[in-house]
Amino acid sequence: MRVVAEIPHASFKITVFSWNGKYLIKLERGPYEQTYKISEMDVLGDEGLKQILDETFINEAVGLFQQMHQNLMAAQERAE
């Protein structure tokens, strides 16, 4: 697996990897991460990746991070 790009963002870290004919887009925020796999055949290089990582995608990823945090907090409360 090799790093293709690190894309700066204010809310989380975005790293793009190339592995086994796929791009892996990894978003990290605190203790949480999201990974998306896309076939390299479905994307036209760096520009194609940037088109996928549009404002709507980023906003929805932020919402998923918030949901992940809520899920973990609720699970910890139930375990107490």
Side-chain angles (χ1 to χ4, degrees):
M1 186 174 343
R2 69 179 178 86
V3 175
V4 173
E6 290 185 4
I7 302 170
H9 192 274
S11 297
F12 40 80
K13 181 180 177 183
I14 304 173
T15 309
V16 179
F17 300 92
S18 177
W19 180 70
N20 204 20
K22 296 185 188 307
Y23 287 118
L24 281 72
I25 301 169
K26 183 176 179 181
L27 312 174
E28 297 177 78
R29 185 176 189 182
Y32 310 107
E33 63 182 48
Q34 300 174 37
T35 303
Y36 300 86
K37 296 179 185 178
I38 304 170
S39 172
E40 289 179 355
M41 305 296 271
D42 293 341
V43 180
L44 297 174
D46 291 348
E47 287 305 314
L49 286 171
K50 289 177 185 176
Q51 289 175 351
I52 290 171
L53 299 172
D54 65 3
E55 185 177 352
T56 300
F57 180 89
I58 296 298
N59 289 338
E60 290 175 354
V62 168
L64 284 173
F65 278 123
Q66 293 168 343
Q67 185 64 50
M68 292 168 76
H69 179 72
Q70 291 171 359
N71 291 348
L72 181 59
M73 294 299 105
Q76 288 177 330
E77 286 179 19
R78 289 190 307 272
E80 292 178 356

